[in-house]
Amino acid sequence: MLADILPAFTAAFVTLFIVIDPILVTPIFASLTKGDAPRERLRIAFMAAIYAVGILMLFGFAGNAMLHHLGVTLEAFRAAMGIILFIMGFRMFFDPDSETQAKTPGPKASARDNIAFFPLAMPMLAGPGAIATVMLLMGPGVTTLDKTATISAMLIVLIIAVFMMAFASRIGDVLGRTGMNAITRILGMLLMALSTQYVFDGVRVGILEKMSAG
């Protein structure tokens, strides 16, 4: 059982950790909750994670039905999302500051009544990349075991994100700007490699194998 689920869990965990990127979210969270007590920070981080789970589960189970209704094949979606994730990885590797700015909310985002949902849950934790990844990993033809692995990986990544946000100020002080950028570049390189595989699989199954069968 463990041997069957471990490869799918590892692939899902690595991809979701890179796409959600709690390391990148940490300094933004610190700036949004500056002056809050540690218990309040933990509460906000926990609520943001709960919202993110709801958003990702919704798209994971219902998103592919929407694609089917629109007439979009899973192979086309896989290739398109691979391209989007590659662009994200490219920005993370060559210009990590731009990716931070892309996730940094506007001046109205720090309102206390909605900070957990916007911008923390969406678009930081459950942004387009995370939504696309979950839809891809839980698409048609995916076994129940693989879906369970994806959900487990998603929950663990978000638990990690909660703890990192709760201790955001300390983590930022330890790593510093240079350390954060270095980690972001490493994650960007991994994301480019994973997304290239998604594009290759989409083209191979959607075009090459159908041409061979024809």
Side-chain angles (χ1 to χ4, degrees), residues 93-109:
F93 184 79
F94 288 101
D95 192 5
D97 287 335
S98 70
E99 187 65 16
T100 302
Q101 292 169 3
K103 285 194 171 186
T104 302
K108 295 183 180 179

Side-chain angles (χ1 to χ4, degrees), residues 168-176:
S169 58
R170 296 181 183 179
I171 293 173
D173 292 340
V174 171
L175 292 178

Side-chain angles (χ1 to χ4, degrees), residues 37-70:
R39 179 173 294 184
E40 178 65 10
R41 283 189 172 189
L42 181 60
R43 187 193 69 81
I44 294 173
F46 180 77
M47 289 305 301
I50 293 295
Y51 287 135
V53 168
I55 294 167
L56 293 176
M57 291 287 282
L58 174 65
F59 280 95
F61 285 105
N64 287 286
M66 180 181 66
L67 289 180
H68 179 73
H69 179 72
L70 294 174

Side-chain angles (χ1 to χ4, degrees), residues 3 9 26 37 43 60 64 96 109 124 131 135 146 201 203:
F9 172 82
T26 297
R43 187 193 69 81
N64 287 286
M124 283 200 251
I131 291 172
M135 288 175 62
D146 287 347
D201 289 344
V203 172

